[in-house]
């Protein structure tokens, strides 16, 4: 790298090697969190009886939930993706994927599977959601997956490949 300064009195050049380096700056989409449940429910909080199925995905049945705080501090443009399915839903039963900006007091539904929905087929379906600005730069950002079973029968839900991305 060379810099030359000149005026009416003359000029001078200074050369420096490896003086300036260029690195990629912010604005890159990065993965903040991902879980394929290959390590079970490590790091997840549970309610009811969620369990791991033999395919290393999260299986839960009958009034069960799992949730986790995933800090998005320092990130914007939060995107959440996951695979989810259900089986046996009837009546008022449903499987929900939710998020919270305040650590779990107020929940917003990302996806809900109800009886009769095409996702109530025990085949994974992929979902991806861009979240509002309240999910940005948030140390209390929380994800929750829940099955609501109102009739006492064995309804089941599964979630897998949970990914949270953001721009740094």
């Amino acid at each position: 790298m060379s810099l030359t300064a000149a005026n009416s009195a003359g000029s001078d050049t200074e050369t420096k090697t490896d003086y300036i380096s260029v690195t990629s700056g912010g604005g890159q989409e990065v993965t903040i969190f991902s879980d394929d449940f290959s390590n079970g429910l490590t790091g997840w909080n549970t309610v009811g009886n969620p369990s791991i199925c033999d395919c290393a995905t999260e299986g839960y049945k009958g009034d069960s939930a799992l949730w986790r705080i995933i800090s998005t501090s320092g990130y914007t443009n939060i995107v959440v993706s996951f695979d989810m399915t259900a089986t046996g839903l009837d009546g008022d039963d449903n499987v929900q994927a939710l998020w919270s900006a305040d650590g779990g007091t107020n929940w917003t539904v990302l996806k809900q599977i109800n009886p009769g929905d095409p996702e109530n087929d025990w085949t994974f379906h992929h979902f991806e959601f861009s979240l509002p600005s309240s999910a940005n730069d948030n140390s209390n950002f929380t994800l929750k997956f829940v099955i609501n079973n109102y009739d006492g029968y064995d309804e089941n839900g599964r979630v897998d490949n949970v990914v949270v991305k953001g721009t740094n």
Side-chain angles (χ1 to χ4, degrees):
M1 180 79 186
S2 296
L3 174 66
T4 301
N7 63 19
S8 60
S11 67
D12 187 25
T13 301
E14 183 72 32
T15 302
K16 300 270 186 182
T17 304
D18 297 324
Y19 185 68
I20 298 172
S21 62
V22 178
T23 60
S24 62
Q28 304 279 341
E29 183 180 64
V30 297
T31 298
I32 300 168
F33 171 83
S34 68
D35 197 341
D36 64 1
F37 297 99
S38 59
N39 292 320
L41 295 175
T42 303
W44 291 86
N45 300 289
T46 61
V47 176
N49 296 311
S51 61
I52 298 298
C53 73
D54 59 2
C55 53
T57 58
E58 171 53 24
Y60 52 104
K61 72 179 186 179
D63 292 330
S64 297
L66 58 135
W67 60 274
R68 183 178 189 138
I69 294 175
I70 303 164
S71 175
T72 61
S73 292
Y75 298 95
T76 60
N77 305 314
I78 305 303
V79 176
V80 174
S81 65
F82 52 88
D83 300 332
M84 194 166 79
T85 188
T87 187
L89 300 180
D90 57 14
D92 293 327
D93 302 328
N94 58 58
V95 172
Q96 297 178 337
L98 308 107
W99 76 278
S100 171
D102 64 4
T105 304
N106 297 300
W107 295 100
T108 301
V109 175
L110 287 170
K111 176 62 184 169
Q112 179 170 307
I113 302 174
N114 297 301
D117 287 353
E119 299 89 359
N120 187 19
D121 65 356
W122 212 228
T123 300
F124 278 111
H125 301 268
H126 184 74
F127 302 98
E128 183 171 299
F129 301 94
S130 294
L131 301 186
S133 61
S134 57
N136 295 343
D137 195 24
N138 187 324
S139 62
N140 290 314
F141 177 80
T142 307
L143 282 180
K144 183 177 186 179
F145 298 93
V146 64
I147 184 164
N148 295 307
N149 175 5
Y150 296 104
D151 61 11
Y153 296 104
D154 285 342
E155 286 74 16
N156 292 277
R158 285 188 182 166
V159 64
D160 200 5
N161 301 316
V162 178
V163 178
V164 178
K165 292 185 178 185
T167 303
N168 62 3

